[in-house]
Amino acid sequence: DVKVTQSSRYLVKRTGEKVFLECVQDMDHENMFWYRQDPGLGLRLIYFSYDVKMKEKGDIPEGYSVSREKKERFSLILESASTNQTSMYLCASSLVQGGNQPQHFGDGTRLSIL
Amino acid sequence: SQQGEEDPQALSIQEGENATMNCSYKTSINNLQWYRQNSGRGLVHLILIRSNEREKHSGRLRVTLDTSKKSSSLLITASRAADTASYFCAYRMDSSYKLIFGSGTRLLVRP
C-alpha cells in the first residue's frame, strides 16, 4: 500500500513565523500535491509538483512556496504565517501526470496560526 | 467556480439501509473519482469511473456516471456504522492534471 506521511498531525505557530510542512511518500510517485481544506470551501490546490525541482501553482498559491529536492519529499512553506492560513493541510501523491490514477493522501496537518 | 456540487450535504440513515450521494459538475471530464474521509483524517480513494463508462461496482459501492447530465452518483448498499464519514467526488477535466473536488456529503449511519 502507498504510504503518504505528513510530519505533524497538529501544529501551532505564531503570526509572522516561517512554517514548514513536510510530506514523504514511499511509492516512487512522480506527482505530489498540497491542498488546504476549509469548511464550506472543500479542498483547494495550493501547489503541484510533477518531478524533482518542478512545481506549478495551483488555485491558491499566494503566501505559500514549495520545495521538492528529492522525489519522495514535498515541502510546503508558509513564508510569513498569517491567521487566515489556519487550516487543515493535506498532501497527496499519484503515479503519473494526468491519466486515470487516483491520488493517495496523508492524514493531514491541522495548523493553527495565533 | 469549477467546484463540483454534491447533494445532499448531510445524510443520516439507519444501519442496513442504502445511502445515495450525488455529484454534479460543469465541464467535460476525463474521469470522476469518489473519496472517503473519516473525521480528522486524510482522503481515501474509493473508485474511479472513466468518462466512457456508465457504471462501476466495487464491493458494496456502485457508481454511475451520466456525462449528458454532467452528474454522478455513489450508492452504498447495506450500510454499516463504519461507513460514517464524509464522501467527496473529484473530477479531472480534459487536458488538465488537476482534480476538482466537490463540496462533500457527510454520511451518518446510526447503529
Side-chain angles (χ1 to χ4, degrees), chain B residues 64-102:
Chain B
T64 60
L65 179 65
D66 186 335
T67 52
S68 66
K69 294 182 179 178
K70 292 186 168 55
S71 67
S72 174
S73 67
L74 170 68
L75 168 68
I76 304 174
T77 60
S79 64
R80 305 166 182 168
D83 294 328
T84 293
S86 292
Y87 292 82
F88 294 88
C89 68
Y91 59 90
R92 190 173 78 82
M93 297 188 294
D94 290 336
S95 304
S96 173
Y97 60 82
K98 293 197 305 183
L99 277 182
I100 310 296
F101 283 83

Short mmCIF file of all heavy atoms in Angstrom, two decimals, chain B residues 64-102:
data_model
loop_
_atom_site.label_atom_id
_atom_site.label_comp_id
_atom_site.label_asym_id
_atom_site.label_seq_id
_atom_site.Cartn_x
_atom_site.Cartn_y
_atom_site.Cartn_z
N THR B 64 -22.42 5.53 -10.73
CA THR B 64 -22.93 5.77 -12.09
C THR B 64 -22.43 7.12 -12.56
O THR B 64 -22.15 8.02 -11.76
CB THR B 64 -24.45 5.73 -12.14
OG1 THR B 64 -24.97 6.75 -11.28
CG2 THR B 64 -24.98 4.37 -11.69
N LEU B 65 -22.33 7.25 -13.86
CA LEU B 65 -21.89 8.50 -14.48
C LEU B 65 -22.78 8.79 -15.69
O LEU B 65 -22.94 7.93 -16.55
CB LEU B 65 -20.43 8.41 -14.92
CG LEU B 65 -19.84 9.63 -15.59
CD1 LEU B 65 -19.78 10.82 -14.63
CD2 LEU B 65 -18.43 9.33 -16.13
N ASP B 66 -23.34 9.98 -15.71
CA ASP B 66 -24.16 10.42 -16.84
C ASP B 66 -23.52 11.70 -17.38
O ASP B 66 -23.72 12.78 -16.85
CB ASP B 66 -25.60 10.68 -16.40
CG ASP B 66 -26.52 11.00 -17.55
OD1 ASP B 66 -26.04 11.48 -18.60
OD2 ASP B 66 -27.74 10.79 -17.42
N THR B 67 -22.71 11.56 -18.43
CA THR B 67 -21.98 12.72 -18.94
C THR B 67 -22.91 13.71 -19.64
O THR B 67 -22.59 14.90 -19.71
CB THR B 67 -20.87 12.29 -19.90
OG1 THR B 67 -21.41 11.43 -20.90
CG2 THR B 67 -19.77 11.55 -19.15
N SER B 68 -24.06 13.25 -20.11
CA SER B 68 -25.00 14.19 -20.76
C SER B 68 -25.62 15.13 -19.72
O SER B 68 -25.91 16.29 -20.02
CB SER B 68 -26.09 13.43 -21.50
OG SER B 68 -26.91 12.72 -20.60
N LYS B 69 -25.79 14.63 -18.51
CA LYS B 69 -26.34 15.46 -17.43
C LYS B 69 -25.23 16.02 -16.53
O LYS B 69 -25.51 16.75 -15.58
CB LYS B 69 -27.30 14.63 -16.57
CG LYS B 69 -28.55 14.20 -17.31
CD LYS B 69 -29.49 13.41 -16.40
CE LYS B 69 -30.76 13.01 -17.15
NZ LYS B 69 -31.67 12.21 -16.29
N LYS B 70 -24.00 15.65 -16.82
CA LYS B 70 -22.85 16.07 -16.01
C LYS B 70 -23.10 15.76 -14.54
O LYS B 70 -23.04 16.63 -13.65
CB LYS B 70 -22.56 17.56 -16.21
CG LYS B 70 -22.04 17.90 -17.60
CD LYS B 70 -21.64 19.36 -17.72
CE LYS B 70 -20.87 19.64 -18.98
NZ LYS B 70 -21.56 19.25 -20.22
N SER B 71 -23.40 14.48 -14.29
CA SER B 71 -23.67 14.10 -12.92
C SER B 71 -23.22 12.67 -12.66
O SER B 71 -23.10 11.85 -13.59
CB SER B 71 -25.17 14.23 -12.61
OG SER B 71 -25.90 13.29 -13.36
N SER B 72 -22.97 12.38 -11.38
CA SER B 72 -22.57 11.05 -10.95
C SER B 72 -23.25 10.77 -9.62
O SER B 72 -23.62 11.70 -8.89
CB SER B 72 -21.05 10.99 -10.78
OG SER B 72 -20.65 9.75 -10.22
N SER B 73 -23.44 9.49 -9.34
CA SER B 73 -23.98 9.14 -8.04
C SER B 73 -23.18 7.99 -7.45
O SER B 73 -22.64 7.15 -8.17
CB SER B 73 -25.46 8.76 -8.14
OG SER B 73 -25.59 7.57 -8.88
N LEU B 74 -23.10 7.99 -6.13
CA LEU B 74 -22.45 6.92 -5.38
C LEU B 74 -23.51 6.27 -4.50
O LEU B 74 -24.17 6.95 -3.71
CB LEU B 74 -21.33 7.48 -4.50
CG LEU B 74 -20.71 6.51 -3.48
CD1 LEU B 74 -19.94 5.40 -4.18
CD2 LEU B 74 -19.78 7.25 -2.51
N LEU B 75 -23.67 4.98 -4.66
CA LEU B 75 -24.61 4.21 -3.85
C LEU B 75 -23.81 3.28 -2.94
O LEU B 75 -22.96 2.52 -3.43
CB LEU B 75 -25.55 3.40 -4.75
CG LEU B 75 -26.41 2.34 -4.06
CD1 LEU B 75 -27.44 3.00 -3.16
CD2 LEU B 75 -27.09 1.45 -5.09
N ILE B 76 -24.08 3.36 -1.66
CA ILE B 76 -23.51 2.41 -0.70
C ILE B 76 -24.66 1.52 -0.23
O ILE B 76 -25.63 2.01 0.35
CB ILE B 76 -22.88 3.12 0.52
CG1 ILE B 76 -21.82 4.12 0.06
CG2 ILE B 76 -22.27 2.10 1.48
CD1 ILE B 76 -21.25 4.97 1.19
N THR B 77 -24.57 0.25 -0.51
CA THR B 77 -25.63 -0.66 -0.14
C THR B 77 -25.37 -1.27 1.24
O THR B 77 -24.21 -1.39 1.67
CB THR B 77 -25.80 -1.79 -1.16
OG1 THR B 77 -24.55 -2.52 -1.23
CG2 THR B 77 -26.13 -1.24 -2.54
N ALA B 78 -26.46 -1.63 1.93
CA ALA B 78 -26.37 -2.31 3.23
C ALA B 78 -25.36 -1.60 4.13
O ALA B 78 -24.37 -2.19 4.57
CB ALA B 78 -25.99 -3.77 3.03
N SER B 79 -25.62 -0.34 4.40
CA SER B 79 -24.65 0.49 5.11
C SER B 79 -24.36 -0.03 6.52
O SER B 79 -25.18 -0.72 7.14
CB SER B 79 -25.15 1.93 5.18
OG SER B 79 -26.34 1.98 5.94
N ARG B 80 -23.17 0.31 6.99
CA ARG B 80 -22.71 -0.08 8.32
C ARG B 80 -22.32 1.17 9.08
O ARG B 80 -21.99 2.20 8.49
CB ARG B 80 -21.50 -1.01 8.20
CG ARG B 80 -21.74 -2.22 7.34
CD ARG B 80 -20.44 -2.91 6.98
NE ARG B 80 -20.65 -4.05 6.10
CZ ARG B 80 -19.69 -4.69 5.45
NH1 ARG B 80 -18.43 -4.31 5.59
NH2 ARG B 80 -19.98 -5.73 4.68
N ALA B 81 -22.29 1.08 10.39
CA ALA B 81 -21.87 2.23 11.20
C ALA B 81 -20.48 2.71 10.79
O ALA B 81 -20.19 3.91 10.81
CB ALA B 81 -21.92 1.87 12.69
N ALA B 82 -19.63 1.78 10.39
CA ALA B 82 -18.26 2.13 9.98
C ALA B 82 -18.21 2.92 8.68
O ALA B 82 -17.16 3.46 8.33
CB ALA B 82 -17.42 0.86 9.84
N ASP B 83 -19.33 3.00 7.97
CA ASP B 83 -19.37 3.82 6.75
C ASP B 83 -19.53 5.30 7.06
O ASP B 83 -19.46 6.15 6.17
CB ASP B 83 -20.53 3.39 5.84
CG ASP B 83 -20.35 1.99 5.29
OD1 ASP B 83 -19.19 1.58 5.06
OD2 ASP B 83 -21.37 1.29 5.09
N THR B 84 -19.78 5.63 8.31
CA THR B 84 -19.90 7.03 8.72
C THR B 84 -18.63 7.79 8.36
O THR B 84 -17.54 7.44 8.82
CB THR B 84 -20.17 7.14 10.23
OG1 THR B 84 -21.47 6.59 10.52
CG2 THR B 84 -20.11 8.58 10.71
N ALA B 85 -18.77 8.82 7.52
CA ALA B 85 -17.62 9.57 7.01
C ALA B 85 -18.15 10.67 6.09
O ALA B 85 -19.36 10.77 5.86
CB ALA B 85 -16.69 8.65 6.22
N SER B 86 -17.26 11.48 5.57
CA SER B 86 -17.59 12.41 4.50
C SER B 86 -17.15 11.81 3.19
O SER B 86 -16.09 11.18 3.11
CB SER B 86 -16.91 13.76 4.71
OG SER B 86 -17.45 14.43 5.82
N TYR B 87 -17.95 12.01 2.17
CA TYR B 87 -17.67 11.45 0.85
C TYR B 87 -17.56 12.59 -0.16
O TYR B 87 -18.41 13.48 -0.20
CB TYR B 87 -18.77 10.46 0.45
CG TYR B 87 -18.75 9.22 1.30
CD1 TYR B 87 -19.37 9.22 2.56
CD2 TYR B 87 -18.09 8.06 0.88
CE1 TYR B 87 -19.33 8.10 3.36
CE2 TYR B 87 -18.06 6.94 1.69
CZ TYR B 87 -18.68 6.96 2.93
OH TYR B 87 -18.63 5.85 3.73
N PHE B 88 -16.50 12.54 -0.95
CA PHE B 88 -16.23 13.59 -1.92
C PHE B 88 -16.13 13.01 -3.32
O PHE B 88 -15.49 11.96 -3.52
CB PHE B 88 -14.89 14.28 -1.62
CG PHE B 88 -14.88 15.05 -0.33
CD1 PHE B 88 -14.55 14.43 0.87
CD2 PHE B 88 -15.18 16.40 -0.32
CE1 PHE B 88 -14.53 15.13 2.05
CE2 PHE B 88 -15.16 17.12 0.87
CZ PHE B 88 -14.84 16.47 2.05
N CYS B 89 -16.75 13.69 -4.27
CA CYS B 89 -16.44 13.38 -5.66
C CYS B 89 -15.31 14.30 -6.10
O CYS B 89 -15.12 15.39 -5.54
CB CYS B 89 -17.67 13.54 -6.56
SG CYS B 89 -18.25 15.24 -6.77
N ALA B 90 -14.57 13.85 -7.09
CA ALA B 90 -13.49 14.67 -7.65
C ALA B 90 -13.37 14.31 -9.12
O ALA B 90 -13.43 13.13 -9.47
CB ALA B 90 -12.16 14.40 -6.94
N TYR B 91 -13.25 15.31 -9.97
CA TYR B 91 -13.17 15.01 -11.38
C TYR B 91 -11.95 15.67 -12.01
O TYR B 91 -11.47 16.71 -11.55
CB TYR B 91 -14.45 15.42 -12.12
CG TYR B 91 -14.82 16.88 -12.01
CD1 TYR B 91 -14.36 17.80 -12.94
CD2 TYR B 91 -15.65 17.34 -10.98
CE1 TYR B 91 -14.70 19.13 -12.85
CE2 TYR B 91 -16.00 18.66 -10.88
CZ TYR B 91 -15.53 19.56 -11.82
OH TYR B 91 -15.86 20.89 -11.72
N ARG B 92 -11.46 15.02 -13.04
CA ARG B 92 -10.33 15.57 -13.79
C ARG B 92 -10.86 16.02 -15.14
O ARG B 92 -11.48 15.26 -15.88
CB ARG B 92 -9.24 14.53 -13.97
CG ARG B 92 -7.96 15.12 -14.53
CD ARG B 92 -6.84 14.10 -14.55
NE ARG B 92 -6.98 13.17 -15.66
CZ ARG B 92 -6.59 13.42 -16.90
NH1 ARG B 92 -6.07 14.59 -17.22
NH2 ARG B 92 -6.75 12.51 -17.85
N MET B 93 -10.63 17.28 -15.43
CA MET B 93 -11.07 17.81 -16.72
C MET B 93 -10.12 17.33 -17.81
O MET B 93 -8.97 17.00 -17.55
CB MET B 93 -11.10 19.34 -16.68
CG MET B 93 -12.09 19.89 -15.66
SD MET B 93 -12.26 21.67 -15.79
CE MET B 93 -10.62 22.19 -15.28
N ASP B 94 -10.60 17.32 -19.03
CA ASP B 94 -9.73 17.01 -20.17
C ASP B 94 -8.54 17.97 -20.17
O ASP B 94 -8.67 19.14 -19.84
CB ASP B 94 -10.51 17.16 -21.48
CG ASP B 94 -11.54 16.06 -21.63
OD1 ASP B 94 -11.36 14.99 -21.02
OD2 ASP B 94 -12.52 16.28 -22.35
N SER B 95 -7.39 17.46 -20.52
CA SER B 95 -6.18 18.29 -20.68
C SER B 95 -5.79 19.00 -19.41
O SER B 95 -5.26 20.12 -19.44
CB SER B 95 -6.38 19.34 -21.79
OG SER B 95 -6.74 18.72 -22.98
N SER B 96 -6.05 18.42 -18.27
CA SER B 96 -5.67 19.05 -17.01
C SER B 96 -5.15 18.00 -16.06
O SER B 96 -5.62 16.87 -16.03
CB SER B 96 -6.87 19.76 -16.39
OG SER B 96 -6.55 20.23 -15.09
N TYR B 97 -4.15 18.38 -15.27
CA TYR B 97 -3.64 17.47 -14.26
C TYR B 97 -4.43 17.56 -12.97
O TYR B 97 -4.31 16.73 -12.11
CB TYR B 97 -2.18 17.81 -13.96
CG TYR B 97 -2.00 19.23 -13.44
CD1 TYR B 97 -2.21 19.53 -12.11
CD2 TYR B 97 -1.64 20.26 -14.30
CE1 TYR B 97 -2.08 20.82 -11.63
CE2 TYR B 97 -1.52 21.55 -13.82
CZ TYR B 97 -1.73 21.83 -12.49
OH TYR B 97 -1.59 23.11 -12.03
N LYS B 98 -5.22 18.62 -12.84
CA LYS B 98 -5.83 18.89 -11.55
C LYS B 98 -7.07 18.04 -11.31
O LYS B 98 -7.81 17.71 -12.24
CB LYS B 98 -6.24 20.36 -11.45
CG LYS B 98 -5.08 21.30 -11.43
CD LYS B 98 -5.48 22.68 -10.92
CE LYS B 98 -6.63 23.27 -11.69
NZ LYS B 98 -6.93 24.65 -11.20
N LEU B 99 -7.31 17.72 -10.05
CA LEU B 99 -8.59 17.17 -9.63
C LEU B 99 -9.40 18.31 -9.01
O LEU B 99 -8.89 19.05 -8.18
CB LEU B 99 -8.40 16.07 -8.58
CG LEU B 99 -8.07 14.66 -9.05
CD1 LEU B 99 -7.99 13.74 -7.85
CD2 LEU B 99 -9.11 14.16 -10.04
N ILE B 100 -10.65 18.41 -9.42
CA ILE B 100 -11.57 19.38 -8.84
C ILE B 100 -12.47 18.62 -7.88
O ILE B 100 -13.16 17.68 -8.30
CB ILE B 100 -12.42 20.08 -9.91
CG1 ILE B 100 -11.55 20.62 -11.04
CG2 ILE B 100 -13.27 21.18 -9.27
CD1 ILE B 100 -10.60 21.70 -10.64
N PHE B 101 -12.47 19.02 -6.62
CA PHE B 101 -13.22 18.30 -5.61
C PHE B 101 -14.58 18.93 -5.38
O PHE B 101 -14.75 20.15 -5.43
CB PHE B 101 -12.45 18.27 -4.28
CG PHE B 101 -11.34 17.29 -4.27
CD1 PHE B 101 -10.09 17.61 -4.81
CD2 PHE B 101 -11.52 16.01 -3.75
CE1 PHE B 101 -9.07 16.69 -4.82
CE2 PHE B 101 -10.50 15.08 -3.75
CZ PHE B 101 -9.27 15.42 -4.28
N GLY B 102 -15.56 18.06 -5.11
CA GLY B 102 -16.87 18.53 -4.71
C GLY B 102 -16.86 18.98 -3.27
O GLY B 102 -15.86 18.87 -2.55
#
